[in-house]
Amino acid sequence: MTGAPEPDRGGWREQFAAIKGNPAFIWLTVLACTQMLAVSMMLAAAPYFATYTLGSAGATQTLFAALVGPILLTMPLWVRLARRLDKRGAMVLATVMFGGGTTAAIATPLFGSVWAHLWILLVGVGYAGVQLLQFSMLADVIAADAAETGKRRAGVLTGLWTAIESGVSAFGALIFGVVLSIGGFIESEPSRPVEQPESAVTAVLIGQTVIPALIIFSSVLMVMKYRLKAPAAPAPAGAE
């Protein structure tokens, strides 16, 4: 196909058409939602983890800093790793770092606050890679879609992907709330802790570590199916 792709119109009909018959986009969306579910659950759990596992509500800020701080600092590293390992290999590494750090944080009651922060920092480095590589893979999906359909649907695909991922982010907090309820958590704000049963304290730890680790590790199987490469730019009209 020669010539520039046509721009998308961005209506609901075009949005559903962009999804239909586009397995690469569906695959990436499922992958991103799975990984975002783990991230959002950890973010929702962090204030409770700080209060009831670390024993300090003020540790919430340092946990958040350890989780999201590496995003800007490690982006150049992940760009180089994506070139050296390819995107699939780099994504597997990022996911394993995320899951490994989360798993190690299970031992926080034994080793204390410094232990937790060090492993959450590793989680943050993995999270940075996950974020960068998701967007990089989305660019590949968009380029492949344009080459196949002859339409520029970047706005439609990106908008759908972002909206779905945002919805999943809210679902992570809901799952954590269910875990707390099962553990018999006495409703209270993390900034105003109350005496909790041991089962509730355990539920906080599981919601911050075990369940996010299982979710993020499950995404490795999806990453292994990534085969898409960004197609070369089309030749100018009239070129042989």
Side-chain angles (χ1 to χ4, degrees):
M1 182 180 297
T2 60
E6 300 175 1
D8 63 59
R9 297 292 181 263
W12 282 106
R13 184 174 298 177
E14 287 77 10
Q15 291 182 7
F16 284 115
I19 296 178
K20 186 178 180 181
N22 193 333
F25 176 77
I26 294 173
W27 167 86
L28 179 62
T29 302
V30 172
L31 172 66
C33 287
T34 301
Q35 294 174 332
M36 182 51 64
L37 185 61
V39 173
S40 61
M41 191 168 180
M42 289 192 71
L43 291 174
Y48 298 87
F49 181 75
T51 298
Y52 293 104
T53 304
L54 301 184
S56 171
T60 301
Q61 286 73 29
T62 52
L63 287 172
F64 276 127
L67 183 60
V68 303
I71 290 179
L72 293 177
L73 297 176
T74 62
M75 283 297 180
L77 171 64
W78 285 112
V79 170
R80 290 195 294 270
L81 286 172
R83 291 171 181 166
R84 175 171 294 186
L85 303 177
D86 74 42
K87 293 176 185 178
R88 182 178 63 179
M91 179 64 93
V92 169
L93 176 60
T95 304
V96 169
M97 291 177 69
F98 189 116
T102 307
T103 301
I106 296 171
T108 296
L110 295 176
F111 300 111
S113 180
V114 174
W115 172 272
H117 282 81
L118 287 175
W119 289 109
I120 296 299
L121 185 64
L122 180 66
V123 173
V125 175
Y127 176 45
V130 164
Q131 286 284 90
L132 173 69
L133 292 160
Q134 282 180 6
F135 281 105
S136 183
M137 290 176 173
L138 178 62
D140 291 349
V141 169
I142 290 170
D145 179 75
E148 181 177 348
T149 66
K151 296 181 179 180
R152 294 198 303 269
R153 301 195 291 193
V156 169
L157 291 172
T158 302
L160 279 170
W161 187 72
T162 302
I164 294 170
E165 192 180 41
S166 298
V168 171
S169 297
F171 194 59
L174 176 62
I175 294 178
F176 179 68
V178 171
V179 172
L180 291 185
S181 178
I182 293 172
F185 186 86
I186 300 172
E187 186 173 351
S188 60
E189 293 295 326
S191 59
R192 296 180 180 178
V194 300
E195 188 71 22
Q196 298 286 349
E198 189 64 29
S199 60
V201 176
T202 301
V204 170
L205 180 63
I206 290 174
Q208 173 74 10
T209 59
V210 177
I211 298 178
L214 291 174
I215 294 172
I216 201 72
F217 277 132
S218 71
S219 73
V220 174
L221 299 176
M222 302 180 211
V223 175
M224 297 306 294
K225 295 183 179 181
Y226 181 76
R227 297 289 187 275
L228 189 63
K229 302 293 183 182
E240 297 184 0

